Amino acid sequence: MRKALDEAKLAYEKEEVPVGAVVVHEGRIIGRGHNMVETLKDPTAHAEMIAISSACGTLDQKFLSECSLYVTLEPCPMCSGAVVWSRMKTMYIGALDPKAGGSGSVFNISSNRNLNYQVEIVHSILEEECSELLKRFFNRRR
């Protein structure tokens, strides 16, 4: 999660919402990303999407079934869907998102038994540090 926080700090420096993500396979980071929505003018350029795409490129495959995602903020519904479709094994989440979360707070896409695949979710990893960076960002913008 510390490496995901490093990615979130990169987003913060670029005045992006500070969310970071890394994908880990066999103890090694194979994909990383931070929010790039403003920079790329792309509403899909979330940290998770970038990290998943990078990991798929590294492994040269579309499924990440032996991988784990570490993300500083609970993924939105779009990213939660991408985590499911990539067949990620486990997702470690820093802070929950009670307004737009797609993995347990508002929706529970990642563990929804109606879908053909569910992801194991572990919440509240370095939650205070992940939350503090987001609070600092939004207080600065106000």
Side-chain angles (χ1 to χ4, degrees):
M1 188 62 77
R2 295 234 180 260
K3 295 298 184 183
L5 265 168
D6 289 345
E7 288 293 320
K9 290 172 186 172
L10 290 174
Y12 184 90
E13 291 169 9
K14 295 177 182 177
E15 298 186 16
E16 297 273 359
V17 175
V19 177
V22 295
V23 176
V24 175
H25 179 257
E26 297 179 350
R28 183 173 66 98
I29 294 174
I30 60 164
R32 60 180 67 230
H34 56 272
N35 275 359
M36 298 281 291
V37 172
E38 301 300 328
T39 302
L40 298 177
K41 311 264 186 287
D42 179 353
T44 68
H46 290 196
E48 304 92 313
M49 302 295 276
I50 294 168
I52 289 169
S53 291
S54 175
C56 288
T58 299
L59 294 180
D60 194 30
Q61 60 189 40
K62 66 180 179 180
F63 294 131
L64 302 172
S65 56
E66 296 302 316
C67 298
S68 297
L69 175 71
Y70 292 78
V71 61
T72 59
L73 180 65
E74 177 185 358
C76 71
M78 172 185 69
C79 293
S80 295
V83 171
V84 170
W85 300 140
S86 70
R87 297 189 181 176
M88 194 79 60
K89 182 177 183 178
T90 309
M91 177 169 41
Y92 297 91
I93 298 171
L96 295 176
D97 186 350
K99 293 184 179 180
S103 293
S105 290
V106 179
F107 303 100
N108 194 1
I109 295 166
S110 303
S111 297
N112 189 314
R113 296 281 177 214
N114 294 314
L115 298 174
N116 66 342
Y117 190 82
Q118 293 81 42
V119 179
E120 178 186 353
I121 300 172
V122 180
H123 290 282
S124 305
I125 308 297
L126 299 178
E127 181 178 17
E128 191 172 315
E129 292 176 56
C130 294
S131 292
E132 182 55 38
L133 186 60
L134 287 157
K135 287 176 189 173
R136 198 172 28 188
F137 174 79
F138 286 110
N139 284 337
R140 191 174 83 177
R141 286 185 66 181
R142 289 183 185 124

